């Protein structure tokens, strides 16, 4: 998707898969020099503390690599679980769906990297 | 249990007489404050007596939780349930079962004319049995009332957490009443569901109707805000009264970067501005 990478998680995440994703994504960001990453988790029904932390980590890593990260389409049950686990993913931007997430990325890309919150 | 007990036999032989005495007595004493008709009283008495006979037939006169008493238990549960719903008092419900003592004891007296010891033993057995049945009916009565209370609590909870749409992309959640963990859960779920359903990106949580905000309530509010943010919606807290603002600061509650406003109107204006809209006179 242009300068942005789009990751959709379609299956239930397990620990190995999450690590694999982290690996692949950082490789891809570095290889494509993407300026934004959008992770769509609308099909993710369940999270545990590990996956929650991985989401935060992945976002942090892409930020270090110079790409903005937006997590989109989080299910209510997932949001409640993360909050109850005390993982509010500070520093990760969120949007309701892919479309809004893209708009957010595009906007901050136009404003210059790490521009003010959308 | 006394093996020479005449109780089963007495009941079997005199069932219709006991029943007649019992019903007459209930009518005469105006049992249940006249809330029950004679026909119903007769029908219920007959059912209970025959259930007791059925239970007692097996020779087991002390353990009402035994399988042979299943139909008596079933009847009592049903009866207590109905009476609880019809607004009978617990006393009226228990008295119905207890009032069987008088007709039953007078029959026993006739059977044990010259046997004081046998009479005493049977009266004790019968008292124990009827007390147990009455207690059982009380328990069923209580259970029914508790079910009603639980249902009402749930209804109240659902009623008191409406999520309203103020404008395209703006939701409001007027909170009324105190906020505990159970309620926060319901509030959070309904808010998140509505965010998903309407695609709103701003939610205004109005706490005008929340009487006090302590650290716990503040934490619940922040949790709700954090969950909404994870879904991609911003929250504004409105309806902060002066006293509440004072408490929040005194308690050292950190509201973080959550926008707060004194009134819902202010919050709505902020929300509109964030969505690039303004209100203008026509």
């Amino acid at each position: 998707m242009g300068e942005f990478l789009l990751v959709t998680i379609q299956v239930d995440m397990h620990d190995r898969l999450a690590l694999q994703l982290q690996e692949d994504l950082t490789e891809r960001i570095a290889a494509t020099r993407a300026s934004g990453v959008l992770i769509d988790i609308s099909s993710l029904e369940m999270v545990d503390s590990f996956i929650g932390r991985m989401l935060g980590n992945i976002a942090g890593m892409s930020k270090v690599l110079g790409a903005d990260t937006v997590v989109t389409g989080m299910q209510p049950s997932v949001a409640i679980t993360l909050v109850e686990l005390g993982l509010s993913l500070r520093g990760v931007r969120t949007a309701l769906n892919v479309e809004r997430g893209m708009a957010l990325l595009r906007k901050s890309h136009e404003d210059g990297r790490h521009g003010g919150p959308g | 249990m006394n093996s020479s007990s005449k109780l089963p036999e007495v009941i079997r032989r005199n069932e219709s007489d006991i029943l007649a005495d019992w019903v007459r007595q209930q009518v005469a004493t105006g049992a249940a404050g006249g809330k029950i008709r004679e026909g119903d009283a007769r029908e219920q008495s007959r059912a209970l007596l025959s259930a007791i006979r059925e239970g007692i037939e097996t020779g087991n006169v002390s353990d009402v939780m035994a399988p042979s008493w299943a139909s008596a238990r079933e009847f009592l549960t049903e009866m207590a349930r109905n009476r609880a719903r019809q607004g009978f008092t617990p006393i009226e419900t228990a008295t119905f079962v207890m009032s069987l003592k008088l007709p039953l004891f007078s029959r026993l007296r006739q059977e044990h004319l010259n046997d004081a010891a046998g009479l005493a033993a049977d009266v004790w057995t019968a008292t124990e049995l009827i007390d147990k049945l009455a207690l059982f009916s009380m328990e069923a009565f209580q259970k029914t009332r508790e079910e009603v209370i639980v249902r009402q609590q749930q209804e109240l909870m659902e009623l008191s957490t409406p999520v309203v749409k103020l404008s395209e992309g703006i939701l409001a959640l007027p909170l009324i009443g105190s906020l505990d963990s159970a309620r926060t859960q319901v509030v959070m779920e309904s808010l998140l569901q509505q965010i998903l359903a309407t695609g709103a990106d701003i939610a205004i949580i109005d706490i005008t109707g929340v009487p006090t905000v302590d650290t716990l309530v503040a934490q619940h509010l922040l949790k709700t805000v954090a969950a909404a943010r994870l879904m991609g919606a911003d929250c504004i807290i409105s309806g902060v009264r002066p006293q509440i603002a004072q408490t929040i600061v005194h308690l050292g509650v950190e509201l973080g970067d959550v926008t707060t406003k004194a009134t819902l109107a202010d919050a709505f204006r902020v929300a509109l501005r964030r969505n690039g809209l303004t209100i203008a006179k026509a």
Side-chain angles (χ1 to χ4, degrees):
Chain A
M1 297 278 279
E3 294 144 314
F4 308 129
L5 287 178
L6 175 65
V7 183
T8 53
I9 296 171
Q10 300 282 5
V11 291
D12 265 346
M13 284 278 262
H14 48 78
D15 297 1
R16 177 97 41 92
L17 205 62
L19 288 170
Q20 185 73 45
L21 175 65
Q22 173 187 323
E23 194 84 13
D24 288 352
L25 191 59
T26 42
E27 290 283 332
R28 294 290 295 168
I29 296 171
T32 59
R33 305 215 321 265
S35 65
V37 180
L38 190 143
I39 306 176
D40 182 52
I41 57 168
S42 54
S43 341
L44 194 65
E45 300 276 341
M46 275 189 304
V47 284
D48 55 18
S49 53
F50 183 76
I51 304 297
R53 201 154 51 82
M54 287 310 289
L55 285 176
N57 285 356
I58 291 174
M61 287 166 195
S62 15
K63 198 170 269 176
V64 172
L65 287 165
D68 269 335
T69 307
V70 180
V71 173
T72 65
M74 193 182 289
Q75 295 290 326
S77 55
V78 173
I80 290 174
T81 313
L82 286 182
V83 169
E84 293 295 337
L85 288 171
L87 296 163
S88 48
L89 302 188
R90 294 204 175 277
V92 181
R93 290 210 265 163
T94 51
L96 205 63
N97 51 34
V98 177
E99 206 173 312
R100 299 240 179 111
M102 272 299 171
L104 205 59
L105 279 181
R106 231 171 261 135
K107 190 161 179 297
S108 72
H109 184 62
E110 280 160 19
D111 292 351
R113 279 182 193 178
H114 307 297
Chain B
M1 181 204 109
N2 190 343
S3 58
S4 67
S5 172
K6 280 190 176 178
L7 191 58
E9 194 200 328
V10 170
I11 292 184
R12 195 182 321 129
R13 229 162 353 99
N14 300 308
E15 191 176 342
S16 55
D17 288 342
I18 295 176
L19 177 62
D21 284 352
W22 190 15
V23 174
R24 205 173 313 125
Q25 177 203 324
Q26 283 180 54
V27 172
T29 57
K35 278 182 212 156
I36 195 156
R37 275 174 289 128
E38 191 186 335
D40 288 342
R42 184 185 304 280
E43 181 49 39
Q44 291 188 352
S45 307
R46 194 197 55 70
L48 179 56
L49 197 58
S50 74
I52 290 176
R53 177 179 47 74
E54 203 178 295
I56 227 166
E57 209 91 292
T58 59
N60 179 350
V61 290
S62 55
D63 181 14
V64 293
M65 295 322 253
S68 53
W69 286 93
S71 61
R73 283 202 305 270
E74 202 171 295
F75 169 76
L76 285 175
T77 313
E78 192 58 36
M79 191 259 318
R81 217 169 249 283
N82 288 335
R83 290 192 173 206
R85 285 212 195 93
Q86 289 159 10
F88 283 66
T89 66
I91 292 180
E92 285 162 356
T93 310
T95 307
F96 164 67
V97 182
M98 301 280 217
S99 63
L100 173 58
K101 281 183 183 178
L102 185 63
L104 185 57
F105 288 0
S106 56
R107 283 294 142 186
L108 283 172
R109 205 153 45 230
Q110 284 170 17
E111 295 290 326
H112 288 282
L113 274 179
N114 300 309
D115 179 11
L119 175 61
D122 268 355
V123 165
W124 171 245
T125 316
T127 301
E128 217 184 0
L129 173 66
I130 291 174
D131 284 355
K132 274 181 187 163
L133 292 173
L135 285 175
F136 184 84
S137 73
M138 258 323 55
E139 192 174 291
F141 186 88
Q142 199 63 32
K143 225 176 251 168
T144 311
R145 298 290 284 260
E146 271 160 24
E147 278 167 18
V148 171
I149 293 173
V150 168
R151 207 189 51 235
Q152 286 175 341
Q153 264 175 348
Q154 261 168 1
E155 278 169 8
L156 202 63
M157 207 178 250
E158 280 161 19
L159 275 181
S160 59
T161 54
V163 181
V164 286
K165 186 173 167 182
L166 289 184
S167 157
E168 197 53 56
I170 302 174
L171 289 178
L173 178 71
L175 289 178
I176 292 170
S178 57
L179 214 56
D180 56 16
S181 334
R183 209 156 148 231
T184 312
Q185 195 73 23
V186 178
V187 168
M188 207 194 271
E189 270 167 35
S190 58
L191 176 64
L192 298 190
Q193 280 305 337
Q194 284 303 311
I195 289 175
L196 194 67
T198 59
D201 45 17
I202 295 182
I204 301 172
I205 302 178
D206 185 71
I207 57 167
T208 312
V210 180
T212 50
V213 176
D214 53 15
T215 43
L216 200 66
V217 173
Q219 203 203 342
H220 288 323
L221 282 175
L222 288 178
K223 253 186 200 174
T224 311
V225 172
R229 200 188 68 87
L230 280 177
M231 287 189 56
D234 266 336
C235 280
I236 302 173
I237 295 179
S238 75
V240 185
R241 279 173 282 129
Q243 296 99 314
I244 289 186
Q246 288 176 25
T247 347
I248 287 178
V249 174
H250 279 311
L251 289 172
V253 175
E254 198 52 65
L255 284 179
D257 49 3
V258 183
T259 316
T260 52
K261 286 281 170 229
T263 63
L264 183 59
D266 288 342
F268 185 47
R269 214 164 294 137
V270 171
L272 284 176
R273 199 162 49 230
R274 281 199 201 159
N275 278 1
L277 299 168
T278 46
I279 305 176
K281 263 193 187 140

